[in-house]
Amino acid sequence: MKAALCLLVLGWVSGLCGAEEKESSVLTVTSGNWTLILEGHWMVEFYAPWCPACQQIEGDWEDFSKRSSGLNVKVAKVDVTEQPGVSGRFFVTKLPTIFHVKDGVFRCYHGSRMVEDLHSFIADNKWNVIEPVAGWKSPSSVLMTGMAGLFHLSGWIRQTHIYLTALWECLLGALTSFSSWPP
Ligand SMILES: *[C@@H]1O[C@H](CO)[C@@H](O)[C@H](O)[C@H]1NC(C)=O
């Protein structure tokens, strides 16, 4: 009787754990805390729930996140529909957009979305050869803005401006690299 009860409890607990494993290991970044990505090493995917291309890479992004635990990189995603400060027109033609961010320096990731390629992009420092996003020429000053604790609002506006510029550059780069655009 006792053993049966134990088994039941065990089953219930392992069921719980199993359910937890299915939960996303990708960090969620929102409009409230996206400035977190200005520090440290990040791979950030901008997506919209309605975007089929985003849904396609969701699984790979999840696997990448799980396999990147030893890489000291944070894998995150931003739902652009939850970013009130960012105009939708920056996104509609280019979703998903993947950024590599290291210490506030943005780089666009245009590589394959295969887990192996994403992994080696970080593991083999392949991001190093990519030109940082134009308009992000003084990341240190932006970091200083954040760290020096200037007025919250002015810091926020400045960072938002740079963030928009970064996205815009990323979009332009994507458009010019696809000569056949629009399809
Ligand atoms: C950002 O905030 C959201 C909502 O509060 C939270 O779910 C998420 O875990 C936070 N992300 C990070 C990286 O702390």
Side-chain angles (χ1 to χ4, degrees):
M1 182 60 201
K2 229 175 175 179
L5 201 72
C6 278
L7 273 178
L8 217 99
V9 169
L10 258 178
W12 180 68
V13 167
S14 66
L16 272 188
C17 295
E20 222 158 73
E21 260 172 21
K22 271 183 214 137
E23 233 172 60
S24 178
S25 63
V26 176
L27 296 168
T28 305
V29 174
T30 66
S31 53
N33 60 16
W34 68 267
T35 48
L36 285 174
I37 69 175
L38 296 177
E39 279 175 56
H41 200 178
W42 293 77
M43 283 287 273
V44 187
E45 184 217 354
F46 290 76
Y47 74 102
W50 45 258
C51 153
C54 304
Q55 289 156 10
Q56 259 175 24
I57 77 159
E58 201 179 332
D60 286 328
W61 200 244
E62 198 67 46
D63 289 346
F64 170 51
S65 169
K66 292 204 178 86
R67 284 189 37 190
S68 68
S69 50
L71 290 179
N72 201 20
V73 67
K74 291 178 184 134
V75 178
K77 58 183 179 181
V78 182
D79 184 343
V80 299
T81 62
E82 287 181 5
Q83 291 282 341
V86 182
S87 162
R89 74 193 169 95
F90 285 104
F91 305 107
V92 283
T93 57
K94 180 74 178 121
L95 276 175
T97 292
I98 297 175
F99 277 120
H100 170 267
V101 195
K102 178 119 166 105
D103 302 327
V105 178
F106 281 69
R107 287 175 170 85
C108 292
Y109 179 81
H110 293 304
S112 117
R113 278 83 189 256
M114 306 254 297
V115 178
E116 287 73 23
D117 295 322
L118 286 162
H119 191 270
S120 83
F121 183 71
I122 300 296
D124 304 332
N125 286 328
K126 287 185 180 162
W127 52 270
N128 234 337
V129 300
I130 296 179
E131 196 69 18
V133 169
W136 194 275
K137 285 180 181 130
S138 54
S140 54
S141 73
V142 172
L143 277 181
M144 291 291 274
T145 308
M147 288 195 285
L150 289 178
F151 293 136
H152 180 70
L153 189 62
S154 63
W156 186 81
I157 286 172
R158 183 172 151 71
Q159 283 167 349
T160 303
H161 169 74
I162 289 164
Y163 170 72
L164 283 176
T165 310
L167 283 170
W168 184 233
E169 293 288 338
C170 196
L171 182 65
L172 281 183
L175 291 185
T176 49
S177 69
F178 294 120
S179 49
S180 60
W181 196 91

